[in-house]
Amino acid sequence: YSHRDISVASEIAEFVRELGCEVFLDAWALRLGDSITGKVQDALCRCDYLVVLLSHNSIQSEWVEREWQTKYFDEVNRRHVLVLPICLD
């Protein structure tokens, strides 16, 4: 997601967490001094699925593109759906 979409990202993450799933949301997980790229890469490696929030904001973000593509390559190699897109706009 783009940080411009943080409010909807937080709502979706909270809903998924209430369903009993473990959720990584950078706004919840990152602390002062953390390596942003390190934490995100670690979460991408450990996660079973990646929810991508597609919006006008996110499709312009290089960060969003890098993150979903990382998991998408895993999806192609494993031949199993791992990237779950949600269209906001």
Side-chain angles (χ1 to χ4, degrees):
Y1 73 95
S2 164
H3 280 276
R4 292 180 181 154
D5 300 321
I6 185 65
S7 61
V8 69
S10 296
E11 287 179 38
I12 292 169
E14 187 60 42
F15 175 77
V16 172
R17 189 163 61 180
E18 288 174 5
L19 293 174
C21 299
E22 184 179 343
V23 174
F24 174 88
L25 184 67
D26 61 350
W28 296 346
L30 295 174
R31 302 291 179 244
L32 185 63
D34 283 347
S35 166
I36 296 170
T37 55
K39 284 275 198 169
V40 170
Q41 284 300 318
D42 181 58
L44 286 170
C45 290
R46 293 184 305 111
C47 73
D48 294 322
Y49 298 96
L50 174 70
V51 175
V52 180
L53 302 184
L54 299 174
S55 69
H56 179 72
N57 297 321
S58 70
I59 63 172
Q60 295 178 3
S61 169
E62 290 181 31
W63 282 99
V64 172
E65 185 174 347
R66 285 184 201 147
E67 291 168 7
W68 78 260
Q69 284 183 355
T70 297
K71 202 63 175 179
Y72 179 70
F73 290 125
D74 288 346
E75 178 177 282
V76 170
N77 289 331
R78 292 171 58 186
R79 296 181 182 186
H80 178 73
V81 174
L82 303 173
V83 179
L84 308 171
I86 295 177
C87 187
L88 299 181
D89 296 336

